Amino acid sequence: MPVSDSVDRSDELVADRSNATSDRLPINELFYSLQGEGVLAGVPSVFVRTSGCNLRCWFCDSYHTSWEPTHAWLGLEEVLAEVESYDADHVVLTGGEPLLQEACVDLLEALDERGYHTTVETNGTIYRDAPIDLASISPKLRTSTPTAERAPARATDGRGERTPDAGTNEWADRHEDDRIDLAALSALIERYEFQLKFVVTGDDDLAEILALLDALEDAADAGIRSDDILLMPEGANRQRLAETRERTAELAMEHGFRYTPRLHVDLWNDAPET
Ligand SMILES: C[S@@+](CC[C@H](N)C(=O)[O-])C[C@H]1O[C@@H](n2cnc3c(N)ncnc32)[C@H](O)[C@@H]1O
Ligand SMILES: Nc1nc2[nH]cc(C(=O)O)c2c(=O)[nH]1
Ligand code: SF4
Ligand SMILES: [Mg+2]
């Protein structure tokens, strides 16, 4: 279900409380696929993708929810009806940053009441109290921060007009300031079953991952097992994944962490709604 029918200024999606507190959600896409990442990789799932993000990773594979957010505002009942039209037990709420949206709590409660297993894909900067079966947390490392050299990439099919420097200067500082929130991360891992899924661009990321895990273990009243930590190769398309996946797998083995593939990219490259 392609629902990207309008373009909002990103600030409005992050800051507009009147929308955020309504029972409507800015939906960028809603589709049925296989969970492509993490401990539930391979599980048939309905994906509900909200628009709007408080960060701007240069590599974001969901450009139209972050750098140039597009969406339709759908009521809770409309979202539920669409979800229920698929024969699936698992729902993945993602974005953009889904936990920006206050209405996501009502959606998660309604999904829980209907017996769905819910995964929330989040960058870990926002905590909300909701029936979440798996908090799939992907804290952003400093190599995610946009710079003049690392600007948002164009999809291989040429979708979207992506000017290489779109918003880079404005967002670089904001992204760097906001990407790690130890209090939010602690609250998430204390309250929910979780996985910590790090996007790996190269060897330099590991020192930061290890330091963050140390800081989080000190801050949170929850244990972190190596099984909870997943390294995922950076790559929005097959070509890029081919460059990053082998080294990411080696790093996972060196440190006793899990490796997660990006099954949907292997299967469908960077096609929308997959
Ligand atoms: C688009 S994000 C939406 C959820 C949330 N904003 C987040 O970042 O976790 C969904 C997942 O895709 C990952 N991701 C985004 N772009 C990627 C890329 N180029 N390569 C690998 N993973 C990527 C994110 O780290 C996250 O785990
Ligand atoms: N198939 C598939 N699996 C996914 N797992 C997490 C995704 C996301 O964008 O959050 C995602 C996605 O976009 N597609
Ligand atoms: S936090 Fe998630 S949605 Fe936001 S820019 Fe980064 S990868 Fe994209
Ligand atoms: Mg995705």
Side-chain angles (χ1 to χ4, degrees), residues 4-82:
S4 314
D5 69 348
S6 63
V7 179
D8 272 10
R9 285 191 45 241
S10 47
D11 284 357
E12 287 165 7
L13 276 167
V14 174
D16 182 345
R17 295 292 93 192
S18 62
N19 276 325
T21 55
S22 80
D23 71 343
R24 296 183 313 150
L25 283 160
I27 302 295
N28 173 266
E29 52 183 10
L30 198 161
F31 59 94
Y32 179 56
S33 185
L34 298 178
Q35 170 58 277
E37 308 168 7
V39 295
L40 293 177
V43 176
S45 308
V46 179
F47 289 80
V48 179
R49 190 183 303 286
T50 60
S51 197
C53 189
N54 56 333
L55 300 183
R56 288 294 182 280
C57 305
W58 68 268
F59 53 60
C60 183
D61 64 4
S62 302
Y63 178 90
H64 286 291
T65 66
S66 52
W67 289 93
E68 190 186 296
T70 61
H71 51 270
W73 286 97
L74 295 192
L76 198 55
E77 295 304 324
E78 291 174 278
V79 176
L80 288 167
E82 194 69 28

Side-chain angles (χ1 to χ4, degrees), residues 76-99:
L76 198 55
E77 295 304 324
E78 291 174 278
V79 176
L80 288 167
E82 194 69 28
V83 169
E84 288 180 312
S85 72
Y86 299 101
D87 185 17
D89 301 327
H90 286 247
V91 176
V92 181
L93 179 60
T94 185
E97 178 44 56
L99 295 181

Side-chain angles (χ1 to χ4, degrees), residues 42-177:
V43 176
S45 308
V46 179
F47 289 80
V48 179
R49 190 183 303 286
T50 60
S51 197
C53 189
N54 56 333
L55 300 183
R56 288 294 182 280
C57 305
W58 68 268
F59 53 60
C60 183
D61 64 4
S62 302
Y63 178 90
H64 286 291
T65 66
S66 52
W67 289 93
E68 190 186 296
T70 61
H71 51 270
W73 286 97
L74 295 192
L76 198 55
E77 295 304 324
E78 291 174 278
V79 176
L80 288 167
E82 194 69 28
V83 169
E84 288 180 312
S85 72
Y86 299 101
D87 185 17
D89 301 327
H90 286 247
V91 176
V92 181
L93 179 60
T94 185
E97 178 44 56
L99 295 181
L100 275 174
Q101 314 298 334
E102 194 167 313
C104 78
V105 174
D106 289 342
L107 175 61
L108 288 161
E109 279 168 356
L111 291 168
D112 185 53
E113 279 163 19
R114 286 160 177 73
Y116 287 103
H117 178 285
T118 59
T119 296
V120 173
E121 303 283 347
T122 175
N123 60 29
T125 60
I126 297 164
Y127 174 80
R128 285 191 191 270
D129 189 13
I132 297 172
D133 293 308
L134 176 65
S136 176
I137 310 167
S138 184
K140 293 301 176 291
L141 305 175
R142 70 175 68 89
T143 50
S144 68
T145 304
T147 64
E149 296 76 39
R150 288 193 311 247
R154 179 183 287 274
T156 51
D157 69 359
R159 269 177 296 130
E161 279 305 311
R162 304 180 187 196
T163 46
D165 58 351
T168 302
N169 293 335
E170 179 195 339
W171 274 95
D173 291 347
R174 194 159 161 189
H175 181 98
E176 191 51 34
D177 288 348

